[in-house]
Amino acid sequence: MSIDPFLWCKERLMVPGNPLAASLLFVDSDTRSMVLALRAVIMEIAQISELAHEPSLAMAKLNWWREALVENRAHPALEALSVADGRTEPVLRDLLALCESVEGALENQRFETTEQAWMQCRDLGGLAMRIEAQALDSDADEAILEAATQLGAAGYWLRWIRDIAGDAHQERWYVPLDIQADYQINRQQVLDQAGGRSWAGFVRTLVSVAVIRSEQAKERLMQTTSSHLRHPLITQALDQRLASALARQPARILTTRILPSHAGNVWVAWRRARQLRTKG
């Protein structure tokens, strides 16, 4: 019995807690199909970065995806991407670039500076959003694609902050040395759920990095007349909601994986979509 590729993608992505379950409600069906297929492929590739503790398995999976992209191997997410007409040369090229970025992330688990950490977020989350913008609007110029990259990097950065405690328990510690020194934060404190008095300042400083850069990207994207790029802007509104939740209760990060409610996400996505319709 054959698998419906879009059903496969929906079962993995359209779930409460995933912002896509809210953002995709407010775009047209063609955009929904394209984003769903792309994000399923991107998720499969990006998750390989979590296998740094099993390098041989990680490289085997990564090489499979490189070959799958070039040779059009069978996979539900790739089948969905083909149906959505997303297997264009620029998109495939950028997906192969994402494979290179994941390999770099497997090799680089420590950062000296905040800017180095930001650049990895660009290479992963930023590239993912650039791929989406490229697929949704093939006429998007470099300024728009750069704004999309910045927006995606900010979203990835926020999810890195949210997952600091979970990563620490999985022996992953990405906090740059410069900000560790500024706030006297280390992995053991996170494992002990004892962030200390500086924890709130540490979290809010990191969140502000994403918020400022996300707002800059949003302003650039709001200037485009392309209706195809509404989904990245809806995504940005949901990222801002997550940023507010992280900054409001920094201590929760030590014990809880903060996931804004689905109902609240739907409301925020609807409000941004309505704003964009009014603008259009």
Side-chain angles (χ1 to χ4, degrees):
M1 182 177 176
S2 61
I3 300 173
D4 180 325
F6 284 104
L7 179 59
W8 187 92
C9 295
K10 287 177 181 177
E11 288 177 346
R12 282 154 180 77
L13 295 177
M14 299 291 281
V15 295
N18 189 328
L20 281 176
S23 61
L24 289 182
L25 296 175
F26 302 99
V27 296
D28 60 61
S29 58
D30 288 343
T31 297
R32 187 178 305 119
S33 297
M34 179 71 76
V35 173
L36 186 63
L38 267 176
R39 287 291 168 175
V41 174
I42 288 168
M43 181 186 73
E44 292 293 305
I45 296 171
Q47 283 184 338
I48 298 172
S49 64
E50 299 176 2
L51 297 175
H53 59 293
E54 299 183 62
S56 60
L57 177 59
M59 286 309 301
K61 285 180 173 288
L62 201 52
N63 288 332
W64 186 93
W65 272 100
R66 286 182 173 120
E67 294 171 6
L69 291 167
V70 173
E71 300 172 5
N72 197 19
R73 289 187 179 180
H75 188 283
L78 290 175
E79 291 174 27
L81 189 60
S82 293
V83 173
D85 296 325
R87 287 185 61 87
T88 64
E89 183 177 341
V91 169
L92 291 178
R93 182 187 63 237
D94 284 345
L95 286 170
L96 287 168
L98 180 62
C99 290
E100 295 300 314
S101 295
V102 170
E103 182 172 356
L106 290 169
E107 297 171 352
N108 184 19
Q109 300 288 309
R110 295 288 185 273
F111 303 102
E112 296 285 335
T113 67
T114 300
E115 195 58 29
Q116 287 175 353
W118 175 260
M119 291 307 296
Q120 181 153 301
C121 289
R122 278 182 59 93
D123 290 344
L124 295 170
L127 180 53
M129 187 61 81
R130 181 189 178 97
I131 294 170
E132 179 180 316
Q134 178 76 60
L136 293 176
D137 186 355
S138 59
D139 295 326
D141 61 26
E142 185 56 36
I144 292 300
L145 294 177
E146 171 57 29
T149 301
Q150 183 100 326
L151 190 154
Y156 194 94
W157 181 272
L158 289 170
R159 284 158 183 79
W160 160 60
I161 299 168
R162 178 196 65 190
D163 295 338
I164 281 178
D167 284 338
H169 284 280
Q170 295 296 321
E171 299 185 0
R172 297 190 294 264
W173 183 246
Y174 305 123
V175 180
L177 289 176
D178 59 354
I179 202 163
Q180 285 188 68
D182 287 344
Y183 288 92
Q184 295 298 298
I185 299 294
N186 58 55
R187 176 171 169 260
Q188 190 57 52
Q189 287 174 302
V190 174
L191 292 175
D192 295 339
Q193 300 179 10
R197 288 182 299 176
S198 61
W199 180 255
F202 164 75
V203 170
R204 287 168 181 152
T205 296
L206 288 175
V207 168
S208 71
V209 171
V211 169
I212 291 169
R213 299 188 187 195
S214 175
E215 278 294 322
Q216 292 170 345
K218 183 195 79 171
E219 292 305 313
R220 287 196 291 272
L221 283 173
M222 289 288 283
Q223 295 169 11
T224 181
T225 58
S226 174
S227 62
H228 301 296
L229 295 178
R230 289 180 175 177
H231 184 258
L233 286 163
I234 294 172
T235 299
Q236 191 270 346
L238 296 174
D239 287 343
Q240 292 292 86
R241 182 169 188 244
L242 175 60
S244 296
L246 296 173
R248 187 167 55 250
Q249 295 181 301
R252 285 190 63 203
I253 296 172
L254 294 168
T255 58
T256 306
R257 190 171 189 260
I258 296 175
L259 294 172
S261 70
H262 177 62
N265 277 347
V266 170
W267 166 253
V268 169
W270 172 82
R271 187 171 58 187
R272 174 57 58 85
R274 184 182 181 188
Q275 177 187 7
L276 293 171
R277 284 196 300 270
T278 302
K279 172 181 176 291

